[in-house]
Amino acid sequence: MKLISPGALSRFGMLGINARNLDFIGRYNQREQYPLVDNKLKTKMIAQEHQLAVPALRFSLTQQHDVEATIQQLDTMSGFAMKPAKGSGGRGIWVITDRRDGKFVKSSGIVVDHDDLRRHMSNTLAGLYSLGGGADSVIIEDLIQLDPRFDGLSVEGIPDIRVIVFKGYPVMAMLRLATHQSDGKANLHQGAVGVGLTLEEGHYANAVQNGHPIQEHPDTQKPLNQIAIPEWPTILYLAAQCFEVTGLGYLGTDIVIDRDRGPVLLELNARPGLAIQLANNCGLLPRLRHIEGLRETPRRDAADRVHYSIEKLSKL
Amino acid sequence: MNRNATLWFIVAILVAAGIGTALLRHDATQLPWLPGENESIWLVEARVDFYATGGPVTASLSIPETAPGFSIFNEQAASAGYGFAIVTDANDRRGEWTRREASGAQSLYFSASFLPGNAKEDSKRGQLPIPAPEPVFWDAAQVTAATELIEAARSTSSNDYSFAREINERVATPTQNAALLLAKSDSPVDLMRKLLTDAALPTRDVMGLPLEDARRRQSLVPLLEFHDGEQWRLVDPGKGVIDTPENLLLWHRSGRSVLDVIGGQNSRLSFSIIRQSVAPVELLEARTKNSLFAQLGVHRLPIEEQSMFKLLLLLPLGATVVVFFRVLIGLQTTGTFMPVLIALVFLQTELVPGLISFVSVVLLGLLMRGYLSQLNLLLVARLAALIVLVIFVISALSVIGYQLGFSTGMVITFFPMIIIAWTIERLSILWEEEGPRDVLIQGSGTLMVAVVAYLLMDSTVIQHLSFNFPELNFVLLACILAMGQYTGYKLFELHRFAPLRNLGHK
């Protein structure tokens, strides 16, 4: 087993789980604000109130007897995404991209029928995917259309951009690419590819899969070092605004780029993981400490904070 | 920093309070720091049954004052309606039950504990005048045989001790002479006594109790003692001269009868014997001392609640182990304190049988859960069905284990059913979503923490300290608080972030 010395990690500015929990999540995130981000339905509502772009909600259901009516409605749609409102880590998300012989085709290519959908919805309602197993609700929203500029970069799923926002300042970002191994999900610990992005331009900085550096997408062999995210300032601005929306000091924002609508906020996370440091080959601590030491008078608005991050943080 | 200062202050206070109280307790009660070797004592209960005829009753039972190879303590008599006293005279010690009127079947009990090893020499009765041997009368046919036997034994021995040994050998493996004599005697003991007395050795009849664990309705065995000029020696025909009796308690050594009952008939004496493992005597004494600490100790509670506290006071250690592994090492476990519960079960089942039964129940449960998920059930119903099936599995394993002769089959029933069902459900969801690798990681993490917690909790030193010095748990609490503010890297993170090293230098 290969080990790195704690001293080297510390010089590198790596943030560990214990320090994240105590010094950042524990200190800057208030518990009463967690439900806002742990429940996707609430996140969506409050984001819409603040005029942030989110995928359009088609249906939401909380009761078992709503399932039948919803199934009939779904029969008229060609594609949609079905999610548990309180799910975490991409669990329980079904993305239907197509119809075949009246059945539904998932993004992974698997065909499911009405019974499968019905069962999946009642499992979700019973809390199979929710944190702690409590009752849950199902939300069904419009499909995100893949931006052609990401062709060949993500398999069986849409790539999304994770931006860590600390006290409203974007501090680090990565692009997450689904792979066959990750089963179309964008979670790094399930085998998705993490591409670290430079804060000033949103260009490739480094890439890892399963914690190890890679050069090209493992399924499509497309080189990763050409990646440049379009509409980068808009994405950072969208991420920075989430601070005002939720009041959470240490926040992970997941943003996707829709072919037609541009950057759209997918979900928020009050306990964002640490793999982003591996993807960027860079520790979070120097940037977090820099922001912690800032004296903010007067308070900067989101646009100013994005500007500051691009100017200062990327040099750290 | 202020928050940290307060916390460290609390930690320091807890450590000082815990260790300080333990020191004070040690000082006041002389409770030893280490458990010492457990000793086994024999609990012997004598039961006197008789049929009272309606008048006043006096039952008098000979009880040992000292028994060679044992020390006696904790004598008790229990019999409703009777007065009890221990009467000691010059050559006898007797327990006397008395009652003015009694009729019908009566049962009287006397119990005492015997601790092996602390042999005290027979002080009082050792100095009793040694009875002069009375003349023995053989009938005509026996005289020659007896004389020849005694002469033969005398010629192959050098003193009274070896003479008795020679006699015993001849009685145990009868020659022609001895066989003739045995046929005319009541028992080998009877013959031994006659022969030794005829050779002018002082003898006396004694009654011994063979000690075997968990025996009921035992009777006394007649034995013989002779005096070799220096001290009384015990002879057990067949076994020879016994210097220090082992697992043999000399109940009755001198005086009149073993049992006298006046005012009753059909009297009968029987014994029950149990061997118990107990803490050393100093420990028992320290616990019963009359200090403030002893008053406030857990030992004043009834035995049943004490054993519960014994387990309860071990829990803080298990919790500390979990904190250590999760915060400092970074092991993943199924459910936060599940490992402690499993460790508690291992304490009851022993490690290996516990591990085997736990793993097999969870594996079988996972198989059944796989089938249940195809049945298309609601979550709550599926969990409930799983609980029922887990109970079936455990019952089946117990029955099969019992039939195969493994008593370990029975211990699985200690496992908390609901927790097992939840574990199976969570592991199977983990399997579906993350794959078998994560199940293996979490499962082995859980078992590893459980085993470490078990090994610590199973140590006699730690059990002794946590039970006798419960205040030491404050020190554990201090450890938990201290670990709770650790913001450094976990051991597993050093591995997880290891790929950074090479990249860091490019």
Side-chain angles (χ1 to χ4, degrees), chain B residues 197-268:
Chain B
T197 316
D198 200 24
L201 279 176
T203 60
R204 66 182 182 195
D205 289 319
V206 296
M207 301 297 260
L209 182 65
L211 295 177
E212 279 180 84
D213 191 17
R215 290 302 164 114
R216 293 172 64 237
R217 307 215 161 246
Q218 300 294 295
S219 310
L220 293 175
V221 177
L223 298 166
L224 189 67
E225 274 189 321
F226 68 93
H227 203 277
D228 67 353
E230 285 170 18
Q231 61 181 104
W232 288 102
R233 298 278 191 182
L234 181 69
V235 189
D236 186 351
K239 287 189 189 151
V241 182
I242 297 166
D243 291 328
T244 44
E246 213 174 289
N247 291 343
L248 178 74
L249 177 66
L250 288 185
W251 186 267
H252 173 79
R253 296 183 78 189
S254 64
R256 33 186 181 128
S257 55
V258 176
L259 174 68
D260 289 330
V261 177
I262 304 167
Q265 42 185 293
N266 290 336
S267 65
R268 196 187 125 80

Side-chain angles (χ1 to χ4, degrees), chain B residues 358-399:
Chain B
F358 180 75
V359 171
S360 46
V361 168
V362 169
L363 281 182
L364 282 172
L366 275 177
L367 281 179
M368 293 193 296
R369 161 64 173 73
Y371 179 67
L372 278 179
S373 73
Q374 291 176 10
L375 285 185
N376 214 356
L377 297 170
L378 288 176
L379 179 70
V380 185
R382 190 170 59 216
L383 257 181
L386 198 59
I387 289 173
V388 175
L389 287 178
V390 164
I391 290 174
F392 276 132
V393 168
I394 288 175
S395 321
L397 281 184
S398 298
V399 171

Side-chain angles (χ1 to χ4, degrees), chain A residues 1-6 9-10 12-19 22-23 27 64 91-92 119 122-123 126-129 133 185 189-190 205-206 211-213 274-275 277-278 281-282 285, chain B residues 3 326-328 369 373-374 376-380 382 422 425 429-430 432-434 437-438 484-506:
Chain A
M1 199 160 106
K2 214 162 100 180
L3 290 181
I4 189 166
S5 84
L9 271 191
S10 166
F12 218 67
M14 292 298 280
L15 181 65
I17 292 262
N18 290 330
L22 265 182
D23 289 347
R27 196 174 292 170
Q64 181 69 30
R91 291 191 189 103
R119 180 167 69 239
S122 59
N123 272 345
L128 184 59
Y129 306 104
K185 296 191 178 99
H189 75 273
Q190 288 169 327
N206 184 50
H212 293 281
L274 302 172
Q277 301 178 105
L278 282 169
N281 193 41
C282 175
L285 269 180
Chain B
R3 178 195 62 150
R326 296 199 42 141
V327 172
L328 296 186
R369 161 64 173 73
S373 73
Q374 291 176 10
N376 214 356
L377 297 170
L378 288 176
L379 179 70
V380 185
R382 190 170 59 216
W422 252 120
E425 179 71 21
I429 290 176
L430 198 67
E432 280 169 13
E433 289 176 354
E434 316 279 335
R437 195 170 151 267
D438 279 62
Q485 53 185 330
Y486 172 76
T487 56
Y489 302 109
K490 304 181 188 200
L491 187 62
F492 273 40
E493 283 176 341
L494 300 183
H495 171 65
R496 181 187 176 194
F497 293 141
L500 276 176
R501 182 162 47 183
N502 304 326
L503 296 168
H505 290 298
K506 81 175 176 191

Side-chain angles (χ1 to χ4, degrees), chain A residues 43-69:
Chain A
T43 312
K44 194 185 279 291
M45 296 302 163
I46 196 166
Q48 277 174 336
E49 269 175 41
H50 286 74
Q51 273 93 44
L52 302 191
V54 290
L57 176 71
R58 300 302 287 265
F59 311 103
S60 74
L61 57 158
T62 53
Q63 303 290 331
Q64 181 69 30
H65 60 73
D66 294 335
V67 170
E68 268 323 303

Side-chain angles (χ1 to χ4, degrees), chain B residues 25 28-29 289-297 300:
Chain B
R25 183 192 291 274
T29 61
K289 251 185 200 160
N290 245 342
S291 76
L292 178 67
F293 282 109
Q295 301 277 355
L296 293 176
R300 287 298 160 105

